[in-house]
């Protein structure tokens, strides 16, 4: 229904204004003087829907739809009757806000219409805006792209805004808000300023190297600044992709011998019956993945086949896939039956999976592991009689839920180590683009140190500074900008 509505609006908007031009990347670019409009709130029935415009004709659009025709005071909500500009038919009684540029989200003249959220009302207002000369429907992300073009947001802040819109967990929200507030951008600007100072020293030596008035040790100052920056860049590049995991989700694999309760644990953590649970061993024969919120962190939870010698080709393939997924895991949830720890399958699992992983984690660059002893409700009532040789573990009953709080707290600590703490510490690198440009900057600084000629050293610093500029401005590469703004919905 909404897709059809937007088609009608697009048709109604075809009029005397200048059409969009196309860029080389194939993305629509606003023509000169274009004013855009879109539904900015979520689609569907709601109490209040927000429709906004941006561009030089925003004031004219507001006058065309409201009575009285005068513009309201800037940034103050006013109750106005909205009418169709052609027929004069009343459309709705709404709150309107007028944001004259450059003090607006996009830096242009903007208007917001807060209308009742019924489909008929929204449809009527959108079609009425489409009939105003000079207005056209906005493309996805076009409001934010205009904010970027007018210097209201840098590129890392744009990415933070996109992440905030798509955030599904508390940790993602905190990280996105820090990036939207400009923490990563400010850090990059400080690094770029350091390189600029070093470059100024090098170029001063090139221009005035034989001048007696030139400060002594000027190249040594540049070398010192570069060394300090290299340390800072290396620290951020050694974050083991924590920021990217926080944005897209850590890979948590549930593994163990057959019938240990792996599928029951997946159902318990995901809060819905996503896996088939049966007393028959070998029920799970493929990898079942589900995105979940684990203790406030995003995770991709994988239920895998029980690790044993498969009975038949189908189960053998399932076991092979389970072992393959195990190698890709950021965090392993190793599940054993607490009432059957002496069985050959449990002992073999402890020897081949648990012990090697614990020996390397968490100090090495290997995976992290939590050992969960499930079915604690089957242990003797006098208390568990477990071997003292068992590695550190957590007792849990998927049947009664006892021990779940302890498991969630342990998961929170492990995932904070895997994804990074979004509330403290330096800003995280949430995209491969960030890693690429920081590595390029670091490589250029390495070329600076190896350069035998002062002019080549200066060029290396310019390249390093260019990589940092690409982080916050995109470097003018339209294809990169298209990909980033494509993450936004229409109206943002």
């Amino acid at each position: 229904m909404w897709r059809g509505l937007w088609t009608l609006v697009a048709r109604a908007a075809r009029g005397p204004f200048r059409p969009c031009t196309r860029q080389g990347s194939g993305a629509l670019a606003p023509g000169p003087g274009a004013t855009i409009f879109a539904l900015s709130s979520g689609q569907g029935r709601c109490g209040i829907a927000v429709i906004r415009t941006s561009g030089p004709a925003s004031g004219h659009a507001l006058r065309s739809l409201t009575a009285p025709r005068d513009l309201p005071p800037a940034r103050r909500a006013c109750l106005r009757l909205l009418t169709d500009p052609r027929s004069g038919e009343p459309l709705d009684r709404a709150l309107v806000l007028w944001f004259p540029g450059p003090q607006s989200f996009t830096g242009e003249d903007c208007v917001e219409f807060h209308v009742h959220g019924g489909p008929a009302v929204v449809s009527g207002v959108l079609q009425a805006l489409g009939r105003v000369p000079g207005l056209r429907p906005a493309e996805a992300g076009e409001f934010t792209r205009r904010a970027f073009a007018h210097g209201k947001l840098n590129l890392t802040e744009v990415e933070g805004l996109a992440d905030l819109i798509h955030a599904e967990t508390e940790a993602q929200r905190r990280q996105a808000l820090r990036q939207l507030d400009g923490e990563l951008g400010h850090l990059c600007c400080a690094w770029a300023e350091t390189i600029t100072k070093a470059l100024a020293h090098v170029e001063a030596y090139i221009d005035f190297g034989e001048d007696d008035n030139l400060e002594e040790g000027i190249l040594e100052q540049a070398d010192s600044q570069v060394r300090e920056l290299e340390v800072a860049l290396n620290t951020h590049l050694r974050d083991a992709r924590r920021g990217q995991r926080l944005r897209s989700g850590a890979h948590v694999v549930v593994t163990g011998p057959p019938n240990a309760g792996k599928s029951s644990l997946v159902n318990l953590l995901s809060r819905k019956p996503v896996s088939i649970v049966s007393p028959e061993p070998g029920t799970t024969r493929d990898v079942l993945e589900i995105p979940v919120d684990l203790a406030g962190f995003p995770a991709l939870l994988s239920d895998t086949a029980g690790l044993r010698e498969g009975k038949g080709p189908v189960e053998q393939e399932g076991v092979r896939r389970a072992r393959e997924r195990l190698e890709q895991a950021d965090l392993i949830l190793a599940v054993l039956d607490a009432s059957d720890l002496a069985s050959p399958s449990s002992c073999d699992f402890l020897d081949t999976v648990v012990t090697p992983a614990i020996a390397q984690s968490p100090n090495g660059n290997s995976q992290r592991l939590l050992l969960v002893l499930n079915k604690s409700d089957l242990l003797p009532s006098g208390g568990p009689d477990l071997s003292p040789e068992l590695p550190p573990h957590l007792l849990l009953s998927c049947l009664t839920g006892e021990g779940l709080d302890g498991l969630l707290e342990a998961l929170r600590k492990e995932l904070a180590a895997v994804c990074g703490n979004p509330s403290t510490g330096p800003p995280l690198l949430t995209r491969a683009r960030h890693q690429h440009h920081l590595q390029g900057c670091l490589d250029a600084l390495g070329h600076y140190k190896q350069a035998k000629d002062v002019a080549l050293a200066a060029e290396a610093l310019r390249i390093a500074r260019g990589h940092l500029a690409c982080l916050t401005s995109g470097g003018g590469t339209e294809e990169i900008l298209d990909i980033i703004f494509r993450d936004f919905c229409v109206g943002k």
Side-chain angles (χ1 to χ4, degrees), residues 53-56 58-59 62-63 71-76 97-112 152:
T53 71
S54 179
S58 291
L62 179 56
R63 290 190 186 95
L71 291 174
R75 290 170 292 281
R76 286 182 57 185
L97 291 101
W98 163 239
F99 300 94
Q103 295 179 321
S104 67
F105 173 71
T106 63
E108 303 174 324
D109 289 349
C110 292
V111 170
E112 287 186 3
K152 292 293 183 176

Side-chain angles (χ1 to χ4, degrees), residues 330-397:
D330 298 315
L331 172 63
I332 299 171
L333 279 181
V335 185
L336 285 173
D337 184 342
S339 64
D340 192 32
L341 295 176
S343 66
S345 60
S346 295
C347 293
D348 180 67
F349 180 75
L350 282 168
D351 293 338
T352 59
V353 176
V354 177
T355 302
I358 289 179
Q360 300 177 52
S361 176
N363 296 323
N365 293 325
S366 187
Q367 301 150 316
R368 307 180 75 90
L369 181 142
L370 284 176
L371 177 59
V372 180
L373 303 186
N374 187 30
K375 305 184 183 180
S376 62
D377 53 288
L378 299 181
L379 295 175
S381 57
D385 185 18
L386 302 175
S387 170
E389 298 179 359
L390 270 176
H393 56 271
L394 297 161
L395 281 174
L396 174 71
S397 170

Side-chain angles (χ1 to χ4, degrees), residues 12 37 65 83-85 91 123-132 135:
F37 68 93
L65 267 70
T83 58
D84 188 289
L91 299 172
S123 171
V125 176
L126 288 175
Q127 292 191 53
L129 286 171
R131 298 188 188 103
V132 176
L135 269 69

